Amino acid sequence: MRPTNRTARTTRSRRLARAACLLAVAASVTVIAAPAQAAPAWGRITRVDLGVDGAGANQQSMSLGISGNGRYALFHSAATNLVPDATSGRGLYVRDLRTGRTELVSRAADGTPFPPDPDEAGISGDGRYIVFSAEVNGAYNVYVRDRVKGRTSAVTNGTASGTGHSYEPAISADGRRIVFMSTRTDLVPGAPVAPNTRNVYVIDRVTGATRLVSVGADGQAASGDSEHPTISADGRTVGFTSKARNLLPATDGGTADLDRLRFTTLYATDLDSGTTVVAGLDPDGTPGAAAPTIRLSPDGRYVAYALSAIPLPGGKARTELFVNDLRTNRVQSIRTSTNPDAICWGEPDAAITADDRWIYFAGGCSDTIIRAGQARFDLYRQNLRTGRTELVTGAPDGTPLAGAAASLFVTDNGRTVLFSDTNSDLVPDGRRSTGWQVYIRSLKNS
């Protein structure tokens, strides 16, 4: 699910695009037994993208976030039956998992619905604030919705006259800091920004200050595009991808050797110290060629990402999942097999729990050579301390189910996971889904 020319806006649905690739890969699978250990006592899987009278979404939906306490789930949907006034077929929704109420949050300042950019959106830790981007009067800008006050306000104010666009927002848990990508050159007066370049910014909603994050180590403008930002829950660390070659001093390792256009270099910036480092490292400690998605642990210490790997026969690409400890630069491979010779694959949109103990991810392994169409993307969690791996979306007997999982988010206590999946039989309640839909699953007694 990732980019080309943002200014021309030719990649409006990165998340759905990557999800479509997963679906194509998993469409013709036969069951491949996963060597994961037995799962703990999980509760039932519950459908999230439900609307009026409990009806399931009549079009595809993708998960975008969950509040820290697990009460509110954020998702995008093309459905028209989730709320009475949803007529555009594109909307951001929040579902109260306690009361069962679904709310359209992509609304203008006057309360009227307007279509958001489906790529990225974010939810604060208490579920009060929703951040998203939308096109209004010919320009994409970033907005924040206060669900308590029912108020939407602009974070950026670009116009269609050529000042640029702003996309891909994410928000800290307390709702104070918002990070986003923009092609504008006027957000920070005097900041070194090259024309027609994508850069990463962070705004402090308390002080109103906007800061350029993607800047050259020598204080000059970044020499390439920087995008796909994320921010840790504590608001201290910003992660992003970049094609720039000058973000670090020449002696600090530079960028990855990018032999394919779809891969990039991943960075992390400590907003307190101003230090920027390469976050997506190969196991040997050198910058890795990474898929353009980066996930941070809530405290910003760990980063999850996927690196380019040898493609499966018949496949265009394969990525393997890793976690890097930014304090020690210890890189850990995340695999569902203990066989070092197994062929494994994993998606980068993983989720790390607040105690840095568990990682939830979609992927799999095979002990034999398989074709791309046999690579299952099942949902697992792995203990980062012990290596214990558990299947989350398995059948009652512990075997994997059909379909593919993606777009994972986890609550603060690590016991509830929000995800999207293509399996039409995850919820045995008669609501057969079509394509990608949104689900939640919790450990019992959570």
Side-chain angles (χ1 to χ4, degrees), residues 334-408:
I334 306 300
R335 301 160 59 90
T336 63
S337 173
T338 58
N339 178 2
D341 296 322
I343 301 169
C344 298
W345 52 90
E347 277 295 292
D349 54 355
I352 300 174
T353 57
D355 60 3
D356 295 331
R357 180 180 179 185
W358 293 94
I359 182 171
Y360 287 77
F361 66 99
C365 287
S366 175
D367 291 339
T368 61
I369 296 293
I370 62 172
R371 294 187 63 81
Q374 296 176 300
R376 301 181 57 95
F377 287 85
D378 296 306
L379 175 55
Y380 297 89
R381 74 170 191 166
Q382 185 171 114
N383 190 310
L384 293 173
R385 301 170 188 172
T386 67
R388 175 185 175 89
T389 304
E390 299 166 355
L391 181 65
V392 178
T393 52
D397 62 0
T399 59
L401 296 170
S407 197
L408 318 178

Side-chain angles (χ1 to χ4, degrees), residues 127-312:
R128 175 173 179 173
Y129 299 105
I130 306 298
V131 64
F132 60 96
S133 64
E135 183 182 14
V136 178
N137 297 325
Y140 278 87
N141 283 291
V142 174
Y143 299 87
V144 61
R145 175 79 173 175
D146 185 333
R147 296 180 52 246
V148 173
K149 295 183 177 180
R151 181 184 303 164
T152 299
S153 54
V155 176
T156 63
N157 287 292
T159 68
S161 60
T163 58
H165 303 269
S166 301
Y167 317 98
E168 301 179 341
I171 192 169
S172 60
D174 61 4
R176 175 171 179 170
R177 285 175 168 171
I178 294 173
V179 65
F180 59 96
M181 181 275 288
S182 183
T183 59
R184 288 176 56 176
T185 59
D186 60 344
L187 291 174
V188 181
V193 177
N196 302 315
T197 302
R198 306 166 212 171
N199 282 283
V200 172
Y201 297 86
V202 62
I203 187 168
D204 188 317
R205 296 178 60 230
V206 173
T207 67
T210 301
R211 173 177 171 181
L212 175 65
V213 177
S214 52
V215 62
D218 58 359
Q220 299 300 307
S223 62
D225 289 335
S226 300
E227 51 193 333
H228 312 320
T230 188
I231 190 167
S232 57
D234 63 9
R236 177 174 176 173
T237 305
V238 171
F240 60 99
T241 74
S242 186
K243 296 284 189 175
R245 297 282 180 172
N246 64 334
L247 298 185
L248 300 180
T251 57
D252 283 1
T255 59
D257 181 14
L258 305 177
D259 56 350
R260 297 192 185 117
L261 291 177
R262 67 164 290 183
F263 297 105
T264 186
T265 304
L266 306 181
Y267 294 89
T269 296
D270 185 316
L271 295 178
D272 290 347
S273 68
T275 302
T276 296
V277 298
V278 175
L281 297 178
D282 270 319
D284 64 5
T286 60
T293 297
I294 181 171
R295 288 288 192 93
L296 294 169
S297 61
D299 61 3
R301 175 172 177 174
Y302 294 91
V303 55
Y305 54 97
L307 298 181
S308 172
I310 298 173
L312 296 172

Side-chain angles (χ1 to χ4, degrees), residues 50-52 79-87 93 102-104 107 113:
L50 303 175
V52 180
T80 58
N81 66 331
L82 298 180
V83 296
D85 62 344
T87 58
Y93 298 86
T102 297
E103 171 190 356
L104 177 67
R107 295 184 181 273

